[in-house]
């Protein structure tokens, strides 16, 4: 609740700053219009009331125009800021009140009930000066209220009290005009606020798009840098490996061989660190694309167990138990997952400890389980260990400390391969990783691949999101931005239509909530947005009450999704929309 109040206060301040800026910017044009009114009414007074009253009116009215102009120019000469906007608006309101007093006083002073035209001249004065506040260009209602209150009601009261019949009715009519003007000015204030809000949201959207482009550029530059760095560093590391192996064949003393073992351990750690950094970058950028095939899981696990035993410098017992199971996955990427987990077990299990590596068939899944009797992991660290560069102290002193990227890569690869990973660990007991792979037929290979390959779109499609729930709006905007989408977001129908009308691009997809509040509905908004761009834009209609939607009356190209909506569903629909049509087979016909 305090955060909501703080955000509302911030929005109000931004509105007032914008209004003050508009007043200061428009003062020249406003003064010219008012001066024209003064001159033209002075000419009328010259013929109706005489030159003295006309001169008085011309001088007093022009003086207030000069005061208004000088105030706008001299007050806040450096421009409107968060610090000075309040005092500027207060001063503007005072000047407006003084202007209203002058106009109302002259209207009363020039009125002579013996000359009927002077009554109507007075009405012309007070109505013309207050007309600007009910026009669409009106910027600041409190200033208009101060002006109107000191101009219209005093003149109206003067007529109703002092004027003979039927001029008293004119005073009553002026009060009706005053009430009507107050009502219209309130509507104008709302429209002005909505216009300013829409402009600010458009500017914010443009900044977000610009930031997304900057982030995308930085990410691409980082990827290129890491790719170049990986290439340049892998070459000497590869050479070093061959040189060290050649050197080993020439060594005879045990202490020399032991020293070379330490050098090789450091070299191997450098190679793994470099590979980890490059792999994280490649996975995040979408450069690694899984290639799922039917895999003999038992054969793959046996090969990985052999690798562990051949490089088991800590002499840890490995208990392996593999059932004959086939599953659909990418064997190279899955092997990387298992190698990282076995490497972690070697690092944290003490000399003489045990690692259990098993594969079994449970329901419709192949379960790969790796457990150890090492020190275990405290519950506070269970989530942290999957973050980049987070490391726990290794038990075995024979394993150099790394960058903490092994488990970060494991989590990313599991997401990429749609593998369900679970972790159970108890301090002093040990740790167990379990990986569940679906045992499926080959017709699901492409489907699994598609769901696991969610990545950024190359075309930066424009997506319009409308939902009256701020948290839903923000989360979806952020999610689609990470997919390289341009996003227009709004909480109501008016803002959505206005924002779309201000962009020349045609949206690729509309994501609309059905119930928007204030008797606004998603189906109607979809129709309005399609009419605005003059195209049948594909749309997603979300709702928690889908049973109340008349699907038969809905227009074409609308997907109905029931909340909560999975990101995969949104991505799949958008991917299908922007995917290029298949090329015709020229061999046919």
């Amino acid at each position: 609740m305090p955060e909501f109040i703080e955000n509302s206060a911030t929005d109000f301040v931004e509105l007032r700053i914008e209004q003050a800026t508009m007043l200061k910017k428009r003062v020249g044009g406003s003064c010219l219009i008012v001066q024209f009114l003064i001159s033209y009414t002075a000419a009328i007074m010259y013929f109706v009331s005489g030159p003295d009253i006309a001169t008085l009116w011309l001088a007093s009215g022009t003086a207030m125009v000069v005061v208004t102009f000088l105030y706008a120019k001299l007050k806040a000469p450096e421009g409107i800021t968060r610090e000075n906007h309040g005092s500027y608006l207060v001063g503007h309101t005072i000047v407006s009140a003084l202007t209203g007093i002058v106009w109302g006083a002259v209207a009363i002073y020039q009125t002579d009930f013996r000359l009927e035209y002077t009554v109507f001249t007075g009405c012309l004065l007070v109505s013309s000066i207050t007309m600007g506040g009910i026009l669409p260009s009106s910027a600041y209602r409190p200033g208009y209220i101060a002006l109107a209150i000191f101009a219209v009601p005093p003149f109206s009261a003067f007529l109703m009290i002092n004027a003979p019949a039927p001029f008293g009715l004119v005073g009553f009519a002026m009060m009706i005009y005053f009430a009507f003007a107050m009502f219209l000015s309130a509507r104008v204030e709302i429209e002005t606020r909505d216009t300013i809000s829409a402009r600010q949201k458009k500017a914010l959207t443009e900044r977000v798009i610009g930031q997304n482009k900057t982030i995308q550029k930085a990410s691409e530059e980082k990827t290129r840098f890491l790719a170049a760095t990986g290439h340049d560093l892998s070459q000497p590391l590869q050479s070093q490996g061959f040189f060290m192996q050649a050197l080993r064949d020439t060594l005879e003393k045990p202490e020399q061989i032991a020293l070379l073992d330490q050098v090789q351990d450091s070299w191997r750690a450098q190679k793994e660190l470099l590979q980890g950094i490059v792999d994280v970058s490649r996975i995040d950028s979408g450069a690694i694309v899984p290639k799922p095939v039917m895999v003999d899981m038992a054969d793959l696990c046996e090969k990985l167990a052999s690798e562990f035993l051949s490089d088991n410098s800590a002499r840890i017992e490995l208990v392996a138990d593999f059932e004959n199971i086939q599953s659909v996955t990418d064997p190279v990427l899955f092997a990387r997952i298992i190698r990282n987990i076995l490497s972690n077990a070697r690092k944290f299990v003490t000399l003489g400890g045990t690692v259990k590596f098993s594969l079994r068939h449970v329901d419709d899944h192949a379960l790969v389980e790796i457990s150890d009797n090492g020190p275990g992991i405290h519950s506070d660290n269970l989530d942290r260990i999957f973050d980049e560069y987070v490391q726990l102290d290794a038990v075995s002193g024979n394993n150099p400390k790394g960058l903490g990227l092994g488990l970060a890569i494991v989590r990313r690869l599991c997401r990429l391969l749609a593998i369900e990973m679970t972790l159970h660990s108890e301090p002093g007991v040990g740790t167990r990783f379990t990986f569940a792979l679906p045992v499926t037929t080959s017709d699901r290979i492409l489907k699994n691949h598609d769901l696991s390959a969610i990545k950024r779109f190359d075309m930066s499609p424009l997506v319009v999101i409308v939902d009256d729930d701020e948290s839903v709006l923000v989360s979806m905007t952020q999610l689609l931005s990470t997919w390289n989408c341009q996003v227009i977001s709004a909480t109501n129908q008016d803002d959505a239509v206005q924002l779309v009308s201000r962009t020349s691009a045609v949206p690729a997809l509309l994501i609309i909530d059905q119930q928007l509040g204030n008797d606004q509905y998603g189906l109607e908004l979809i129709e309005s947005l399609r009419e605005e761009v003059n195209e049948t834009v594909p749309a997603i209609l979300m709702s928690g009450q889908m049973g109340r939607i008349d699907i038969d009356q809905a227009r074409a190209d609308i997907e109905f999704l029931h909340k909560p909506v999975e990101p995969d569903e949104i991505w799949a629909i958008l991917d299908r929309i922007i995917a290029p049509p298949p090329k015709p087979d020229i061999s046919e016909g």
Side-chain angles (χ1 to χ4, degrees):
M1 188 65 178
E3 181 180 354
F4 173 78
I5 295 175
E6 182 179 350
N7 291 337
S8 299
T10 301
D11 293 341
F12 180 79
V13 170
E14 295 297 332
L15 171 65
R16 290 308 190 212
I17 292 175
E18 182 74 14
Q19 289 176 321
T21 302
M22 292 170 62
L23 287 172
K24 189 174 180 64
K25 183 179 180 180
R26 296 176 179 177
V27 65
S30 299
C31 287
L32 286 176
I33 295 174
V34 174
Q35 188 60 42
F36 170 77
L37 292 175
I38 293 171
S39 301
Y40 131 79
T41 51
I44 295 176
M45 287 183 185
Y46 180 83
F47 294 103
V48 173
S49 303
D52 294 340
I53 293 180
T55 302
L56 173 65
W57 164 234
L58 183 62
S60 59
T62 302
M64 290 311 303
V65 170
V66 172
V67 170
T68 302
F69 182 80
L70 291 178
Y71 173 79
K73 292 300 181 181
L74 299 179
K75 179 69 175 177
E78 71 283 1
I80 301 300
T81 65
R82 181 175 291 270
E83 289 73 25
N84 64 22
H85 79 280
S87 60
Y88 181 87
L89 291 176
V90 170
H92 169 78
T93 304
I94 294 174
V95 173
S96 298
L98 293 175
T99 302
I101 291 173
V102 170
W103 285 65
V106 172
I108 294 172
Y109 179 75
Q110 64 86 44
T111 301
D112 185 349
F113 297 119
R114 294 171 300 176
L115 302 173
E116 298 177 353
Y117 286 110
T118 61
V119 176
F120 295 103
T121 302
C123 293
L124 178 62
L125 283 180
V126 297
S127 60
S128 61
I129 189 59
T130 57
M131 187 63 68
I134 59 178
L135 296 178
S137 59
S138 177
Y140 186 55
R141 186 169 184 251
Y144 168 72
I145 292 175
L147 173 68
I149 284 178
F150 286 101
V152 180
F155 180 69
S156 301
F158 170 76
L159 292 182
M160 287 189 291
I161 295 173
N162 299 294
F167 294 118
L169 295 177
V170 176
F172 179 73
M174 290 302 298
M175 287 302 298
I176 294 177
Y177 161 76
F178 175 76
F180 181 68
M182 290 295 101
F183 171 76
L184 285 184
S185 68
R187 296 292 300 272
V188 170
E189 171 79 1
I190 295 174
E191 293 177 1
T192 301
R193 183 171 64 244
D194 291 344
T195 300
I196 293 174
S197 177
R199 184 163 60 247
Q200 291 174 341
K201 288 181 179 179
K202 180 184 178 183
L204 178 60
T205 300
E206 292 175 350
R207 287 199 299 270
V208 170
I209 293 173
Q211 290 174 353
N212 286 341
K213 291 181 179 178
T214 301
I215 293 172
Q216 180 182 1
K217 182 179 179 181
S219 177
E220 292 172 352
E221 290 177 350
K222 182 194 73 172
T223 301
R224 287 194 296 268
F225 170 77
L226 290 177
T229 301
H231 177 269
D232 293 343
L233 291 180
S234 62
Q235 293 297 96
L237 283 176
Q238 182 72 20
S239 301
Q240 290 171 14
F242 283 104
F243 286 142
M244 282 186 286
Q245 187 59 43
L247 179 61
R248 179 178 296 276
D249 295 335
T250 66
L251 300 179
E252 298 178 356
K253 298 181 180 180
E255 59 270 20
Q256 292 175 330
I257 297 176
L259 183 60
L260 180 60
D261 286 340
Q262 294 179 356
V263 173
Q264 278 192 313
D265 287 340
S266 298
W267 169 80
R268 187 175 293 107
Q270 287 181 332
K271 183 182 71 172
E272 292 177 355
L273 294 181
L274 175 62
Q275 187 63 45
I277 294 174
V278 173
D279 283 351
V280 168
S281 177
R282 294 181 65 204
I283 295 171
D284 290 345
S285 65
I288 294 181
V289 179
K291 299 177 181 179
V293 295
M294 192 68 71
V295 179
D296 187 330
M297 297 297 295
D299 182 62
L300 178 60
C301 289
E302 287 174 357
K303 292 179 180 178
L304 295 171
S306 299
E307 291 180 12
F308 179 88
L309 292 174
S310 65
D311 193 27
N312 191 3
S313 59
R315 297 183 181 179
I316 300 170
E317 180 185 4
L318 179 67
V319 179
D321 181 17
F322 307 130
E323 296 182 8
N324 292 322
I325 302 173
Q326 289 188 330
S327 181
V328 175
T329 190
D330 185 314
V332 176
L333 299 182
F334 180 73
R336 181 66 188 279
I337 292 174
I338 301 304
R339 287 191 182 99
N340 283 7
I341 299 301
L342 290 175
S343 176
N344 259 28
R346 180 187 298 113
K347 182 186 300 183
F348 288 97
V349 175
T350 58
L351 182 65
T354 301
V355 174
K356 295 182 180 180
F357 185 8
S358 65
L359 167 67
R360 63 183 187 276
H361 193 173
V362 178
D363 298 329
D364 294 332
H365 289 81
L367 293 186
V368 178
E369 187 174 282
I370 299 175
S371 61
D372 61 61
N373 60 352
I377 306 170
H378 194 276
S379 58
D380 294 341
N381 293 323
L382 288 179
D383 291 330
R384 292 181 59 247
I385 62 173
F386 293 101
D387 295 335
E388 297 90 341
Y389 312 115
V390 172
Q391 309 168 69
L392 303 182
D393 293 334
V395 174
S396 174
N398 296 325
N399 291 279
K401 196 172 185 180
L403 279 180
L405 293 175
L407 291 181
I409 293 173
V410 166
R411 181 170 62 178
R412 283 169 165 81
L413 290 178
C414 284
R415 290 175 178 173
L416 195 63
L417 298 176
I419 295 175
E420 181 182 350
M421 176 183 64
T422 57
L423 167 62
H424 179 76
S425 186
E426 295 183 21
V429 177
T431 302
R432 181 176 70 251
F433 284 89
T434 303
F435 303 94
L437 293 80
V439 179
T440 60
T441 57
S442 59
D443 61 354
R444 287 194 49 146
I445 294 179
L446 291 178
K447 183 175 181 181
N448 286 339
H449 173 217
D450 291 340
L451 290 178
S452 63
I454 290 182
K455 56 184 182 296
R456 297 164 61 89
F457 293 104
D458 295 332
M459 300 175 60
S460 297
L462 176 62
V463 180
V464 178
I465 306 175
V466 185
D467 199 303
D468 60 346
D469 189 317
E470 287 286 351
S471 60
V472 173
L473 195 66
V474 171
S475 61
M476 292 191 67
T477 299
Q478 292 176 342
L479 177 63
L480 267 74
S481 296
T482 63
W483 296 348
N484 196 32
C485 295
Q486 302 179 57
V487 180
I488 292 178
S489 60
T491 57
N492 58 70
Q493 178 171 333
D494 294 338
D495 286 352
V497 174
Q498 191 171 47
L499 289 171
V500 170
S501 68
R502 290 170 181 257
T503 179
S504 59
V506 176
L509 178 65
L510 309 176
I511 304 177
I512 313 296
D513 185 35
Q514 167 61 7
Q515 182 64 51
L516 296 173
N518 296 326
D519 295 328
Q520 296 183 0
Y521 298 95
L523 283 174
E524 299 174 359
L525 176 55
I526 291 173
E527 183 175 356
S528 298
L529 292 174
R530 287 176 170 179
E531 291 177 353
E532 182 65 37
V533 299
N534 199 29
E535 288 193 23
T536 305
V537 180
I540 295 175
L541 187 66
M542 304 183 301
S543 176
Q545 299 176 328
M546 293 301 291
R548 297 187 181 184
I549 298 178
D550 191 350
I551 299 178
D552 295 334
Q553 295 180 4
R555 295 185 59 177
D557 295 324
I558 297 180
E559 298 273 356
F560 292 89
L561 298 180
H562 195 279
K563 290 184 175 180
V565 177
E566 291 291 336
D568 288 351
E569 297 177 273
I570 303 291
W571 187 90
I573 293 173
L574 186 55
D575 181 58
R576 184 177 71 247
I577 290 171
I578 67 175
K583 295 182 179 179
D585 189 354
I586 61 176
S587 63
E588 295 182 0

